[in-house]
Amino acid sequence: METRNTIQKQTILQAVKELANHPTAEQVYEKVVVKLPNISRATVYRNLSNMADRGLLQRIGVPGGADHYDHTLQVHYHVLCTHCGALEDIWLEKPAKNLMELANEKSTFSIQSYQLVFNGVCPCCEAKQRKENPIQ
Amino acid sequence: METRNTIQKQTILQAVKELANHPTAEQVYEKVVVKLPNISRATVYRNLSNMADRGLLQRIGVPGGADHYDHTLQVHYHVLCTHCGALEDIWLEKPAKNLMELANEKSTFSIQSYQLVFNGVCPCCEAKQRKENPIQ
DNA sequence: GTGGCTGCAAAATGTTTGCACGGAT
DNA sequence: ATCCGTGCAAACATTTTGCAGCCAC
């Protein structure tokens, strides 16, 4: 039950912190494999998942795509660029409590959490779009 | 570009309406294959996805799980039972506009939509839990 | 020394795609 | 007659799992 302090775990956690920008398991693997050439993807997946369950990381579930991981533990939200897949933070104060309360009032389920991802277009992709199709 | 009226499409749409309870593509397939024994899963996936894109159905993206489809077109939300996977409606009026506005104010992305799924325990599973572990 | 953790390969899951054929228009 | 939609199989993406050996404790 207690957790052993392996080099793999340390390196994975460090990688998420250094990458900062909500890496996927694959991106973490690519960063970690430089330092530990023999590490397996399974180890990366296992550890990221464990750490998220223990609250050392936040898991960002993206419907239809790979999970991302966030070293920031404070409650906040994310936008996904529908063009390039970039994922960015959004800091909102209000919805956190409201949503849970509202939902619990209206549902027979006892609601414990929720997953919210916004979809949009990042400034970079918006600029490209405008260049290709200046009308509209 | 215009859409042909095949038996497959008709049957798939009808199946989603009859199943009502937010079926996955696989569940739709199982319902449809009874009437059309030669239909392919690919056809079901393709048509569900197309119909969602055209606004004939709503796609409910569930992180880490299969997409569900909803024949109801009005804006509403969903809870997923973390025990049995049951998916149920939640009807909230307020958040719809608020969330989009708030997020757009706080982000450099131009946000067009969002995906929100609540996680909880359904009454049925809650009862089971209580039976197995009456303490707490 | 023990048993949790790792690496590997294989499997599982959900979905998409290339292609030849058939049917709706 | 066109050419979109279908069925099939294979590919794809992401994640999980079984198992033998290893290493942190």
Side-chain angles (χ1 to χ4, degrees), chain B:
Chain B
M1 179 71 218
E2 93 294 349
T3 186
R4 285 189 188 174
N5 192 23
T6 65
I7 299 137
Q8 288 87 342
K9 279 181 199 175
Q10 294 166 31
T11 314
I12 288 166
L13 187 54
Q14 198 196 336
V16 177
K17 285 181 182 165
E18 284 175 16
L19 284 167
N21 270 326
H22 322 99
T24 61
E26 179 63 25
Q27 291 168 330
V28 174
Y29 171 77
E30 275 158 24
K31 172 108 185 167
V32 168
V33 81
V34 175
K35 294 200 178 172
L36 306 175
N38 293 322
I39 200 171
S40 152
R41 276 183 179 76
T43 300
V44 176
Y45 275 97
R46 267 189 292 240
N47 277 306
L48 287 174
S49 200
N50 287 170
M51 288 174 184
D53 291 344
R54 285 158 192 260
L56 298 175
L57 292 175
Q58 240 187 307
R59 183 190 284 106
I60 309 166
V62 176
D67 286 354
H68 292 241
Y69 290 89
D70 195 336
H71 69 111
T72 309
L73 298 178
Q74 286 98 58
V75 173
H76 65 288
Y77 304 90
H78 299 92
V79 219
L80 187 70
C81 177
T82 49
H83 282 63
C84 69
L87 195 69
E88 210 182 69
D89 288 323
I90 303 186
W91 294 86
L92 304 177
E93 301 96 43
K94 295 172 196 173
K97 263 180 297 181
N98 291 352
L99 273 181
M100 293 277 283
E101 281 169 21
L102 279 172
N104 262 312
E105 280 168 25
K106 298 281 186 178
S107 176
T108 58
F109 287 38
S110 79
I111 292 163
Q112 293 144 354
S113 66
Y114 61 91
Q115 316 198 56
L116 172 58
V117 175
F118 293 92
N119 302 118
V121 183
C122 73
C124 176
C125 287
E126 217 174 20
K128 265 184 230 160
Q129 267 185 322
R130 219 166 274 153
K131 211 171 264 178
E132 285 165 15
N133 187 8
I135 301 160
Q136 191 206 46

Side-chain angles (χ1 to χ4, degrees), chain A residues 69-110:
Chain A
Y69 290 89
D70 195 335
H71 69 110
T72 308
L73 297 177
Q74 287 98 58
V75 173
H76 64 287
Y77 304 90
H78 299 92
V79 219
L80 187 70
C81 177
T82 50
H83 282 62
C84 69
L87 194 70
E88 209 182 69
D89 289 321
I90 303 187
W91 293 86
L92 303 177
E93 302 95 42
K94 294 173 195 171
K97 264 179 300 184
N98 291 353
L99 274 180
M100 294 276 285
E101 281 169 22
L102 279 170
N104 262 311
E105 280 167 25
K106 297 282 187 179
S107 176
T108 58
F109 286 40
S110 80

Side-chain angles (χ1 to χ4, degrees), chain A residues 2-4 6 8-9 38-40 42-43 46-47:
Chain A
E2 91 296 349
T3 186
R4 287 190 186 172
T6 64
Q8 288 86 344
K9 281 182 197 172
N38 292 322
I39 201 170
S40 152
T43 300
R46 268 189 292 237
N47 278 304

Side-chain angles (χ1 to χ4, degrees), chain A residues 1-50:
Chain A
M1 180 70 217
E2 91 296 349
T3 186
R4 287 190 186 172
N5 192 24
T6 64
I7 299 138
Q8 288 86 344
K9 281 182 197 172
Q10 295 166 29
T11 313
I12 288 166
L13 187 53
Q14 196 195 338
V16 177
K17 286 182 181 165
E18 284 175 16
L19 285 166
N21 271 327
H22 322 100
T24 61
E26 179 64 24
Q27 290 168 331
V28 173
Y29 171 77
E30 275 158 24
K31 172 107 184 169
V32 167
V33 80
V34 175
K35 292 199 179 173
L36 306 176
N38 292 322
I39 201 170
S40 152
R41 276 183 179 77
T43 300
V44 176
Y45 276 97
R46 268 189 292 237
N47 278 304
L48 288 173
S49 201
N50 286 170

